[in-house]
Amino acid sequence: MVLWATFGSTAVAHDDQERAREAAAAGRILPLSIIVERAIARFGGSVLDVEYEDDDEDEHGGDRGRPRYGVKLLTVDGRILKLDYDAATGDLIGHRRRARDRHVRGKGEDD
């Protein structure tokens, strides 16, 4: 199941989803399903969250460039991957990973 990020309000997430659908229908970007298939085929696991960004300018008036999908995956070994895909080409343009368990041993525990 794919969930859309709801930073702010549900209306904002719905607007992102609608803009992505319209851009995919017009052929400007790939459908989300293709991006998700690529992410799972390459990294495995399951989708935790997806967001779509198509802003033409950043908050400083600079060009943000291409529209992108952000996909967050939980891998089978418990890592969380944050993947950035070019929405038009489907190319992976960035990624970050985080270990599931960040447990730090306290005093008195065996090494």
Side-chain angles (χ1 to χ4, degrees):
M1 178 174 167
V2 176
L3 303 174
W4 284 89
T6 56
F7 302 109
S9 72
T10 304
V12 171
H14 181 71
D15 288 346
D16 288 347
Q17 194 172 13
E18 283 302 311
R19 283 195 326 272
R21 282 189 188 135
E22 289 171 5
R28 292 189 308 268
I29 65 171
L30 295 172
L32 176 60
S33 60
I34 290 174
I35 302 298
V36 168
E37 287 173 12
R38 288 182 183 184
I40 292 173
R42 182 167 179 183
F43 299 101
S46 57
V47 174
L48 296 175
D49 192 24
V50 175
E51 63 182 22
Y52 173 70
E53 292 186 18
D54 67 346
D55 299 331
D56 292 331
E57 294 184 351
D58 65 18
E59 62 270 12
H60 305 293
D63 182 21
R64 293 188 73 170
R66 55 194 169 223
R68 69 169 195 84
Y69 286 111
V71 179
K72 188 185 295 184
L73 289 180
L74 176 63
T75 64
V76 293
D77 63 355
R79 292 177 297 138
I80 295 174
L81 299 179
K82 294 180 180 180
L83 310 168
D84 288 322
Y85 284 89
D86 181 305
T89 66
D91 294 337
L92 180 65
I93 56 176
H95 70 282
R96 297 184 312 266
R97 73 177 119 185
R98 180 173 82 192
R100 177 187 60 180
D101 186 3
R102 292 185 173 185
H103 175 74
V104 177
R105 293 180 183 220
K107 290 183 180 180
E109 290 187 15
D110 295 329
D111 287 324

